[in-house]
Amino acid sequence: MKANYSFEIPYQEVDKNRRLRLYSLENYLLNVAGRAADDGGYGIQSLLPYGYTWIITRVNIEIDYIPTHTDKIRVETWIEKNAHMLSNRNYRIYLENGESKLIGRATSVWAVLDLKKREIVNAFPMPMFDNTEDGEPLDLPRAGKLIPIQEPTGNKQREVVYSDIDYNGHCNSCKYLEIALDSCMPAFLSEYLSQAASYGLRIDINYHKEIGEGGQLDVIYKEDSGAIQYQLKELNASTCCSIRISKTDKTSC
């Protein structure tokens, strides 16, 4: 029940350091999840006739090497379990320049959304989900709870615009990470992306609520030694997304 998908990193997806943008890295994982679901017969095209779609609620990534243009990568993915209206999907990321080398691991949690009611539903008893669980856990430390920021380093405001919106009619999942990094890029992250660092990187993202076009985001951030946390709030309202990016010891390569 594991699936593998290979990619070559194009020039337009790297940053000024010639490294894959972090929100593009997340997008590859979401792309792989969608392809695996489609290939398994339980993807969006299979859900839409019922008025359902997939949404993501959490992503956790540990990466030791950020690919550059023309690097070849392979992403292995599988569903660990479907339970309590949530689907847990795991990933391993390999660099495939000649020999295969593990460079990262990730987990994600998905739910099925009723598009009319805008509510999560338990779709897993449907026949399309039979025999979709692999059962293998991933050796990735559990993320700590992302608590609200109390004493921020700073904040910036940003309107949700046309190019942020996806087919579900709300701000695309990867756009939150892009918006956060545009608001504040800490020195340790710039060092890491220039490949001058001896440490790895961990990205923890929690999605709380959707926001549509024209919404106003207040991006609050707090820098600590070797970490930064972002809280993306709808202006004068509740949090839409929480993100933490931190240094880790290199473990996979």
Side-chain angles (χ1 to χ4, degrees):
M1 287 182 282
K2 290 183 174 64
N4 286 266
Y5 299 92
S6 297
F7 306 90
E8 181 173 315
I9 306 302
Y11 290 90
Q12 63 267 29
E13 290 188 354
V14 301
D15 63 9
K16 64 182 181 180
N17 300 299
R18 300 183 179 179
R19 298 293 164 181
L20 183 67
R21 294 183 178 92
L22 294 182
Y23 47 86
S24 294
L25 171 64
E26 184 191 3
N27 194 50
Y28 274 100
L29 299 180
L30 271 57
N31 181 313
V32 160
R35 289 176 61 179
D38 285 337
D39 291 346
Y42 53 93
I44 290 172
Q45 292 304 313
S46 299
L47 289 173
L48 281 177
Y50 300 92
Y52 298 159
T53 190
W54 283 107
I55 59 169
I56 192 164
T57 66
R58 190 174 75 235
V59 181
N60 308 104
I61 306 168
E62 282 196 1
I63 192 88
D64 290 347
Y65 169 81
I66 298 293
T68 187
H69 52 83
T70 73
D71 272 348
K72 295 177 176 61
I73 63 169
R74 174 172 58 89
V75 181
E76 179 186 41
T77 187
W78 67 98
I79 290 177
E80 182 177 337
K81 63 179 178 179
N82 297 319
H84 309 297
M85 297 198 295
L86 298 174
S87 180
N88 293 269
R89 177 174 287 279
N90 298 330
Y91 314 79
R92 294 188 183 99
I93 307 166
Y94 296 88
L95 186 66
E96 297 285 349
N97 295 349
E99 64 178 339
S100 183
K101 185 177 185 180
L102 181 68
I103 59 171
R105 302 162 296 172
T107 64
S108 60
V109 179
W110 297 79
V112 176
L113 178 74
D114 184 313
L115 285 166
K116 185 175 181 179
K117 296 180 179 179
R118 309 304 288 186
E119 296 176 352
I120 292 174
V121 296
N122 183 13
F124 302 133
M126 299 172 70
M128 71 175 74
F129 290 101
D130 291 348
N131 302 312
T132 58
E133 297 173 289
D134 183 278
E136 181 187 347
L138 186 71
D139 182 21
L140 184 67
R142 186 176 178 88
K145 185 177 180 181
L146 298 180
I147 61 175
I149 295 173
Q150 299 298 324
E151 298 180 1
T153 305
N155 73 295
K156 289 188 178 180
Q157 292 181 3
R158 160 76 144 74
E159 180 180 355
V160 178
V161 297
Y162 164 79
S163 61
D164 298 326
I165 303 301
D166 63 17
Y167 63 90
N168 284 330
H170 58 211
C171 185
N172 181 264
S173 304
C174 298
K175 279 288 184 174
Y176 290 106
L177 182 54
E178 178 182 359
I179 291 168
L181 293 173
D182 284 344
S183 300
C184 181
M185 175 68 75
F188 83 90
L189 189 52
S190 295
E191 178 187 46
Y192 176 79
L193 292 173
S194 70
Q195 296 297 300
S198 59
Y199 48 84
L201 201 68
R202 174 152 182 150
I203 305 170
D204 297 305
I205 307 175
N206 291 350
Y207 298 99
H208 305 290
K209 60 169 288 188
E210 60 185 1
I211 186 170
E213 185 175 1
Q216 299 292 325
L217 279 173
D218 190 15
V219 185
I220 303 168
Y221 52 91
K222 181 178 179 63
E223 290 188 71
D224 292 314
S225 177
I228 186 166
Q229 183 170 332
Y230 302 93
Q231 191 174 345
L232 289 79
K233 300 180 63 177
E234 192 168 8
L235 202 59
N236 300 319
S238 54
T239 299
C240 300
C241 181
S242 301
I243 302 170
R244 178 177 170 83
I245 304 174
S246 56
K247 293 180 180 181
T248 64
D249 294 331
K250 287 195 173 187
T251 58
S252 59
C253 63

